[in-house]
Amino acid sequence: MIIASIRRIFASFRTEEEERLYSRAAFFNLLGFLGSCVLFSFVAQQLSRNPRELAHIARADALLRALQG
């Protein structure tokens, strides 16, 4: 209830077009966040099916870090 009041106060300082732009930007940011969550979940699921592949990636990463440092 308080959050809605605060939002109305801030919205009153913006035009309808600005409010629409902020709303669209927030919506697409939410879609991007959810999409990245799904992508990371899918990658983690695929890697957990083959633990040897995950170990290979970890070794390759450690080798790259050793070469850079």
Side-chain angles (χ1 to χ4, degrees):
M1 191 157 140
I2 292 174
I3 294 174
S5 299
I6 293 172
R7 187 180 182 290
R8 263 188 250 121
I9 291 169
F10 281 104
S12 68
F13 291 104
R14 294 191 289 257
T15 65
E16 283 291 321
E17 184 61 27
E18 288 175 323
E19 189 66 24
R20 245 183 262 123
L21 289 174
Y22 284 121
S23 180
R24 281 189 190 132
F27 175 72
F28 288 118
N29 285 340
L30 176 65
L31 285 181
F33 173 74
L34 292 175
S36 65
C37 288
V38 169
L39 178 69
F40 284 125
S41 176
F42 178 74
V43 169
Q45 183 181 19
Q46 293 302 315
L47 289 177
S48 69
R49 287 184 180 173
N50 190 353
R52 286 184 4 188
E53 184 177 341
L54 184 59
H56 177 69
I57 291 171
R59 275 190 230 114
D61 184 52
L63 179 62
L64 286 174
R65 287 178 191 263
L67 291 174
Q68 290 174 351

